[in-house]
Amino acid sequence: MDILSSTLAAGGGAASESPIPLWFMISSSIAVVAILLFDLLLVVKRPHVPSMREAGIWVGFYVALALVFAASLFAIGDAQHGSEFLTGWLLEYSLSIDNLFVFIIIMGSFSVPRKYQQEVLMVGIIIAIIFRGLFILAGAAIISAFVEVFFIFGIFLLVVAYRQAFSDEDEGDGENGLIRFLRKRINVVDEYHGNSLRVTLDDGKKYWTPMFIVFLAIGSTDVMFALDSIPAIFGVTQSAFLVFTANVFALMGLRQLYFLLGGLVDKLVYLHYGIAAILAFIGIKLFVHALHESDWEFLAWGHSIPEVPTWLSLSFIVVAMAVATIASLIKMNRDGIPFREAGPESSETEES
């Protein structure tokens, strides 16, 4: 148990000097799982299209929940981990904007009835949380054994940042390789049958419904996004517990954020530059961290390479997203796009 606690709570650097108490990890994990299950139960029992007010209240609730979690870390005297969680959560929340772009495409591509979109997003997010947990455990194990992996992470994030800023690739039709593979090998009906995943038709055969395919599309697509975001957050903290909780808190509010922002997301044309800047910054920070942990020295000065402070990472993330959002809103105003026309109703698929 002590080994597990130290592995989850501390991954290196200053954070490893004061591991997060095991009782805090267990109690907070139980609370988060209970909230997730309650949220899932509400969605399954009463599928509906949330109003802007409802979506806004839930987004505010999950943001407040993340802030309470951070405040709890500060309250137990762990300011280092508290600031690392806050920075990691903001990083994951910022990067999750990319997820919203793809969610909108997938929902439109599969013509998901608006009544069931909450359920699709909730189940997809739970799938993503499970796979991200596995990725995080693997990443923490690799980092503890091979600190030079931060060089690889850094290069990867710089490449992703460049593609984010300058790539003209189309997002496609919402289907990834897994979905195309399954379509060729299993029987899938074209129409939805409520929220059922499998149905028996008049010919006596069982068929999968589009709802099953959409669940997989949302979950597997988010796993692909994890390949970008998890190396990035390891640049903020090497505590596997903080990496996982930051991901969970960011994903928990993503469903409501989808309905709150809706079509506004693709109108914020400069957001991808803000995300690219954040990824590039974290990529450089990973290089600096790898040099610091490897005890390399400046050739000219002979001094150890310093760590990039957490407050600087936090400030950069906030400023980058604020500048990108404000610049996008200014462009919307200059182009004569009213804010209300960019809301959810402008891009959501109407209930069939």
Side-chain angles (χ1 to χ4, degrees):
M1 186 65 74
D2 290 338
I3 296 175
L4 176 62
S5 175
S6 60
T7 300
L8 291 175
S16 63
E17 297 174 2
S18 54
I20 300 172
L22 184 58
W23 65 265
F24 181 86
M25 292 194 291
I26 294 175
S27 59
S28 58
S29 297
I30 291 174
V32 168
V33 170
I35 293 170
L36 274 175
L37 291 177
F38 177 74
D39 199 0
L40 176 61
L41 183 63
L42 287 179
V43 171
V44 173
K45 290 290 186 182
R46 194 172 70 91
H48 67 287
V49 182
S51 65
M52 292 287 285
R53 181 176 180 274
E54 179 185 344
I57 290 174
W58 275 103
V59 169
F61 170 74
Y62 280 123
V63 169
L65 201 62
L67 295 177
V68 167
F69 181 85
S72 299
L73 286 169
F74 281 97
I76 64 176
D78 198 346
Q80 175 69 27
H81 282 123
S83 58
E84 286 180 357
F85 167 79
L86 197 58
T87 304
W89 169 68
L90 281 175
L91 171 64
E92 291 296 333
Y93 215 74
S94 301
L95 298 182
S96 69
I97 298 298
D98 259 6
N99 298 52
L100 292 184
F101 280 106
V102 178
F103 287 172
I104 291 170
I105 292 171
I106 290 175
M107 294 295 186
S109 175
F110 289 98
S111 300
V112 180
R114 294 187 66 202
K115 180 179 179 180
Y116 297 111
Q117 288 182 5
Q118 281 210 80
E119 185 175 346
V120 169
L121 290 169
M122 189 67 193
V123 174
I125 285 170
I126 290 176
I127 293 173
I129 288 174
I130 294 172
F131 279 100
R132 286 194 183 205
L134 297 175
F135 282 7
I136 290 165
L137 288 175
I142 294 172
I143 288 169
S144 63
F146 182 54
V147 71
E148 285 76 13
V149 74
F150 283 111
F151 288 117
I152 300 174
F153 284 174
I155 293 173
F156 175 72
L157 290 182
L158 290 174
V159 172
V160 172
Y162 178 84
R163 290 175 57 191
Q164 181 76 231
F166 303 109
S167 176
D168 294 326
E169 294 180 2
D170 190 3
E171 294 287 354
D173 59 1
E175 291 196 10
N176 55 36
L178 172 63
I179 303 306
R180 289 191 290 270
F181 175 84
L182 288 176
R183 278 192 179 277
K184 295 177 181 178
R185 288 162 176 80
I186 63 174
N187 295 324
V188 182
V189 294
D190 293 329
E191 63 278 351
Y192 288 88
H193 292 259
N195 58 358
S196 299
L197 300 181
R198 208 171 186 192
V199 294
T200 302
L201 299 186
D202 295 338
D203 59 5
K205 294 181 179 179
K206 290 186 176 181
Y207 293 83
W208 295 101
T209 70
M211 186 67 73
F212 172 72
I213 301 297
V214 173
F215 280 157
L216 290 181
I218 293 288
S220 58
T221 299
D222 193 87
V223 169
M224 297 303 297
F225 279 108
L227 296 177
D228 298 346
S229 65
I230 289 178
I233 194 173
F234 269 119
V236 173
T237 176
Q238 286 83 65
S239 166
F241 175 71
L242 292 185
V243 171
F244 182 69
T245 50
N247 271 272
V248 170
F249 278 110
L251 289 172
M252 278 164 61
L254 194 59
R255 172 172 59 87
Q256 291 83 5
L257 195 63
Y258 169 86
F259 288 100
L260 183 63
L261 297 182
L264 176 63
V265 173
D266 59 5
K267 302 299 189 297
L268 300 178
V269 295
Y270 297 127
L271 265 184
H272 66 288
Y273 289 116
I275 294 172
I278 292 170
L279 288 171
F281 175 84
I282 299 297
I284 294 171
K285 182 180 178 181
L286 286 171
F287 265 91
V288 174
H289 178 76
L291 292 172
H292 175 83
E293 291 295 314
S294 300
D295 292 327
W296 289 18
E297 296 182 347
F298 288 113
L299 295 179
W301 297 278
H303 297 295
S304 296
I305 295 178
E307 284 273 33
V308 177
T310 302
W311 67 263
L312 181 58
S313 301
L314 177 61
S315 302
F316 189 91
I317 292 169
V318 171
V319 170
M321 291 305 294
V323 170
T325 301
I326 293 171
S328 299
L329 292 174
I330 291 174
K331 187 176 190 305
M332 282 177 58
N333 183 61
R334 289 180 176 175
D335 293 343
I337 303 176
F339 184 85
R340 64 180 181 276
E341 291 184 6
E345 286 75 14
S346 67
S347 66
E348 295 292 340
T349 303
E350 293 298 328
E351 183 179 347
S352 59

